[in-house]
């Protein structure tokens, strides 16, 4: 890992790997940097699911985990969101389109204050993103 001391940690109920792959497909330069699965007989997890995975998004590390089916993760809430400053309008449009597909657009895209485009979108996994392009 890098020098990052605080990591967003996202808990899923059986679809963490699907989410990891989704974000790699939607966010430019995103990549899975580690993936460890629960093995047979390990406590607290379902065999083959994600024990922990690390995703690099725009140079920041995000941790992912599948909670065991016997103790499912709570739903995500838009009270916590990820703010993403896009480098170009094309990047904004691509990320917005990917996150909004099968998700829910809460706002935008529209101009707000100094930003040319702003959007607030909850993706198909229930994770909320605030996208901006200046």
């Amino acid at each position: 890992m890098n020098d990052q001391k605080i990591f967003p940690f996202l808990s899923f109920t059986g679809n963490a790997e699907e989410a990891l792959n989704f974000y790699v497909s939607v966010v430019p330069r995103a990549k899975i940097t580690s993936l460890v699965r629960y093995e047979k007989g390990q406590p607290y997890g379902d065999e083959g699911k994600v024990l922990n995975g690390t995703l690099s998004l725009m140079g920041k590390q995000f941790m992912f985990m599948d909670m065991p089916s016997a103790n499912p993760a709570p739903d995500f809430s838009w009270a916590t969101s990820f703010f993403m400053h896009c480098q170009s309008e094309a990047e904004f449009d691509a990320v917005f389109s990917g996150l909004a597909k099968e998700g829910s657009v809460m706002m935008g895209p529209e101009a707000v204050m100094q930003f040319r485009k702003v959007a607030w979108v909850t993706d198909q996994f229930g994770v909320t993103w605030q996208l901006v392009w200046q």
Side-chain angles (χ1 to χ4, degrees):
M1 299 217 179
N2 60 17
D3 291 334
Q4 187 175 329
K5 303 286 188 237
I6 297 176
F7 295 78
F9 194 104
L10 304 175
S11 298
F12 294 82
T13 303
N15 59 350
E17 187 168 5
E18 181 183 348
L20 283 160
N21 289 317
F22 172 73
Y23 297 126
V24 166
S25 74
V26 169
V27 180
R29 300 168 305 282
K31 63 181 177 179
I32 299 168
T33 57
S34 70
L35 184 62
V36 177
R37 299 176 192 284
Y38 288 103
E39 295 178 5
K40 186 175 183 172
Q42 273 185 302
Y44 311 115
D46 299 332
E47 181 181 353
K49 295 299 180 179
V50 176
L51 171 60
N52 61 64
T54 306
L55 180 69
S56 176
L57 285 173
M58 298 182 145
K60 300 298 177 194
Q61 303 298 310
F62 287 64
M63 301 288 296
F64 285 63
M65 177 184 195
D66 275 320
M67 297 297 294
S69 55
N71 187 25
D75 291 338
F76 293 108
S77 163
W78 62 268
T80 301
S81 61
F82 296 109
F83 181 91
M84 181 183 294
H85 196 279
C86 297
Q87 295 178 0
S88 67
E89 184 173 20
E91 181 176 84
F92 178 100
D93 291 345
V95 172
F96 173 78
S97 177
L99 293 174
K101 184 179 180 183
E102 298 184 45
S104 172
V105 176
M106 301 169 69
M107 182 194 115
E110 61 192 67
V112 175
M113 299 170 59
Q114 78 271 23
F115 299 110
R116 290 187 244 178
K117 284 189 176 180
V118 173
W120 201 344
V121 59
T122 300
D123 68 31
Q124 65 187 8
F125 298 98
V127 178
T128 302
W129 301 83
Q130 294 182 55
L131 306 175
V132 299
W133 173 63
Q134 205 159 7

